[in-house]
């Protein structure tokens, strides 16, 4: 069983009210049949996907409408009850589960598609829609979602937006800060902010939606999203390559960008240790073997013959110039699915015991040096130190595994990893956010003045601090 977060990290509970029978009765009147109170029933909502943090909430609420979210927050604001907004609970930094007894506000039943415009490609939907379900709906209309994640089968679009999730398509379609056109958000006092515009261009005043994208539920609860969706590519090709050094991975990327240009949609890399774990734990084998590094390239375009020809020309040149030691191109769906091994690395790592996860942005040339340095620093005290990630976006996923959680191992990793990242002017969180686990390290990526300004925004929008407390920002002085 996971040790409660408040005990493991010695956090002090803030002076919020405690849940009373009258509170539960109010919520049951508001949404009969959608209030969860039993200890066993509440348990899955209290533990994160990694099983690394655990809260002690006694109540889960499942609203279906923005009006219900408004009423819940208005009541909690008046009563000074803390609230933990929760989507699919697939976050990796402890942001989606309570630290103490915060009421869990689940968006699981807010899963309606409101509208889709086939001319503009703009989708409007409730925050609890599952990413994969949205993608399936769009594919029938000839479109796709602009983001794709390993957790797509359970993560919610509202949670994706709240954490500014990155994922596998960012190289091609950009981040949610560009594709999200509008949001509907309920503020801490229960008032609804309707900025659910479906316009590509709107230059009137401050862009308020940007405040909520990536705010991890600390400034408001996202209830609906308007998002620009690209057309489904008619041709998707995947190349899986083996490289003998990280320098060759980088050189291959430069060549790849020059030769594939507008059809390049993903450039992912993984080290041999990642591949070994995927093969051992998930019984999946890669199309290429015996390389220190592997690269997965995805292209998407409108002409399969043209794209395949470009990809084959690139592969020929990469092999002839010695950049790539082995490689294969997949064009049919079956092969493409087989080569999506990159998405399964996170899952394979969970079979190794406890995982210390770091999601970092670095100058591309230095990306793998951190893995090498951490490996040398930890030696035998860690089971595995692996590196993989979105090389096209300069995003490294550094993962360290051990039989079980160890405080001394954590002390050897942190703040070493953050100091190393700061020296390279990198970011300590490229796409996972800060949540609970990283909030006290924000100063490695942001100047003090910026943190103070963020705390002022929080104090203005949530004066009682009831929304997702203990997360994202260090406690205000």
């Amino acid at each position: 069983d996971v040790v409660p977060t408040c005990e493991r990290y010695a956090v002090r509970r803030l002076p919020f009210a405690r849940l009373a029978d009258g509170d539960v009765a109010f919520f049951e009147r508001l949404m009969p049949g959608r209030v969860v109170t039993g200890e066993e029933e509440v348990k899955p909502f209290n533990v994160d996907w990694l099983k690394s943090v655990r809260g002690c909430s006694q109540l889960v609420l499942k609203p279906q409408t923005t009006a219900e979210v408004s009423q819940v927050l208005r009541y909690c604001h008046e009563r000074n009850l803390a609230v933990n907004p929760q989507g699919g609970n697939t976050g990796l930094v402890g942001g989606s589960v309570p630290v103490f007894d915060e009421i869990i506000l689940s968006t699981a039943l807010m899963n309606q598609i409101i509208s889709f415009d086939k001319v503009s490609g703009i989708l409007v939907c409730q925050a609890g829609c599952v990413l994969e379900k949205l993608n399936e709906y769009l594919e029938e209309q000839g479109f796709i979602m602009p983001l794709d994640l390993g957790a797509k089968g359970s993560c919610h679009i509202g949670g994706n937006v709240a954490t500014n999730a990155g994922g596998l398509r960012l190289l091609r379609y950009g981040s949610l800060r560009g594709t999200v056109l509008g949001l509907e958000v309920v503020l801490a006092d229960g008032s609804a902010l309707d900025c659910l515009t479906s316009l590509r261009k709107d230059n009137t005043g401050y862009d308020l939606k940007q405040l909520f994208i990536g705010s991890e539920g600390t400034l408001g609860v996202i209830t609906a999203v308007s998002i620009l969706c690209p057309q489904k590519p008619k041709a998707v090709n995947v190349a899986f390559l083996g490289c003998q050094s990280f320098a060759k991975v980088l050189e291959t990327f430069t060549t790849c960008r020059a030769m594939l240009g507008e059809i390049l949609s993903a450039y992912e890399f993984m080290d041999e240790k990642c591949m070994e774990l995927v093969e051992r734990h998930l019984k999946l084998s890669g199309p290429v073997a015996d390389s220190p590094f592997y690269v997965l390239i995805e292209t998407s375009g409108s002409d399969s013959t043209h794209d395949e020809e470009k990809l084959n020309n690139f592969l020929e040149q990469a092999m002839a110039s010695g950049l790539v030691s082995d490689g294969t191109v997949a064009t049919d769906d079956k092969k493409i699915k087989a080569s999506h091994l990159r998405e399964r690395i996170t899952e394979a790592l969970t079979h190794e015991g406890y995982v210390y996860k770091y999601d970092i942005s670095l100058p591309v040339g230095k990306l793998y040096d951190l893995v090498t340095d951490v490996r040398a620093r930890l030696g035998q005290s860690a089971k595995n130190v692996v590196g993989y990630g979105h090389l096209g976006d300069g995003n490294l996923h550094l993962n360290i595994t051990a039989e079980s959680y160890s405080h001394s191992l954590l002390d050897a990793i942190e703040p070493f990893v953050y100091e190393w990242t700061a020296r390279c002017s990198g970011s300590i969180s490229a796409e996972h956010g800060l949540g609970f686990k990283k909030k006290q390290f924000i100063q490695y990526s942001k100047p003090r003045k910026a943190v103070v300004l963020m705390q002022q925004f929080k104090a203005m929008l949530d004066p009682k601090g009831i929304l997702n407390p203990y997360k994202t920002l260090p406690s205000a002085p």
Side-chain angles (χ1 to χ4, degrees), residues 132-149:
E132 192 168 45
K133 291 268 185 280
L134 289 176
N135 207 61
E136 286 166 4
Y137 167 83
L138 288 170
E139 282 194 350
E140 286 171 17
Q141 325 268 334
F143 287 78
I144 57 169
M145 287 298 282
L147 75 160
D148 183 24
L149 312 171

Side-chain angles (χ1 to χ4, degrees), residues 83-277:
V83 177
N84 183 107
Q86 188 178 95
N89 194 13
T90 59
L92 301 173
V93 287
S96 57
V97 295
V99 176
F100 290 94
D101 55 349
E102 299 89 276
I103 292 168
I104 296 169
L105 181 68
S106 167
T107 55
L109 299 181
M110 299 184 74
N111 56 6
Q112 300 301 304
I113 289 167
I114 297 164
S115 66
F116 178 64
D117 184 326
K118 282 189 78 163
V119 178
S120 64
I122 295 166
L123 171 79
V124 181
C125 64
Q126 284 188 301
C129 290
V130 172
L131 181 58
E132 192 168 45
K133 291 268 185 280
L134 289 176
N135 207 61
E136 286 166 4
Y137 167 83
L138 288 170
E139 282 194 350
E140 286 171 17
Q141 325 268 334
F143 287 78
I144 57 169
M145 287 298 282
L147 75 160
D148 183 24
L149 312 171
K152 61 187 164 214
S154 45
C155 65
H156 296 181
I157 188 63
N160 296 151
V161 173
T163 56
N164 189 26
L168 304 157
R169 289 178 182 160
L170 193 131
L171 182 65
R172 179 66 175 270
Y173 301 119
S175 83
L176 287 169
R177 294 200 177 279
T179 52
V180 170
L181 302 177
L183 293 176
E184 180 183 66
V185 181
V186 178
L187 302 178
D189 64 359
S191 55
L193 176 67
D194 184 356
C195 291
L196 202 59
T197 176
S198 292
L199 301 171
R200 291 286 302 272
K201 296 173 117 174
D202 175 10
N203 212 358
T204 51
Y206 307 132
D207 189 0
L208 293 178
K209 70 174 181 289
Q210 295 296 351
L211 261 184
F212 301 98
I213 299 172
S215 68
E216 303 187 71
T218 61
L219 299 179
V221 177
I222 294 169
T223 51
V225 176
S226 163
I227 189 165
L228 181 67
C229 303
Q231 280 198 292
K232 184 183 176 182
K234 290 188 175 70
V236 175
N237 297 314
V238 169
F240 200 86
L241 318 174
C243 292
Q244 291 303 308
S245 68
F246 191 71
K248 289 190 172 173
V249 171
L250 292 173
E251 244 183 292
T252 305
F253 177 55
T254 309
T255 308
C256 173
R257 242 188 338 195
M259 291 185 73
L260 300 178
E262 78 292 347
I263 62 168
L264 179 65
S265 55
Y267 190 97
E268 305 284 316
F269 91 97
M270 61 208 93
D271 61 21
E272 61 184 336
K273 205 78 194 153
C274 291
M275 190 58 77
E276 193 188 296
L277 295 176

Side-chain angles (χ1 to χ4, degrees), residues 29 41-42 45 48 60 82 91 104 118-119 126 132 134 171 204 214 277 283-284 300 331 339 399 424-425 456 458 470:
R29 282 196 303 277
E41 290 83 353
V42 172
F45 297 89
D48 75 326
V60 179
I104 296 169
K118 282 189 78 163
V119 178
Q126 284 188 301
E132 192 168 45
L134 289 176
L171 182 65
T204 51
L277 295 176
K283 306 290 180 269
L284 295 171
S300 42
T331 47
S339 60
N399 285 251
C424 296
S425 305
Q456 288 169 341
K458 168 75 172 166
Y470 322 103

Side-chain angles (χ1 to χ4, degrees), residues 45-64:
F45 297 89
N46 265 316
V47 184
D48 75 326
W49 183 79
L50 285 171
K51 299 191 168 38
S52 63
V53 286
R54 176 164 78 85
C56 305
S57 179
Q58 299 157 333
L59 182 69
V60 179
L61 304 177
K62 293 185 171 182
Q64 285 177 316

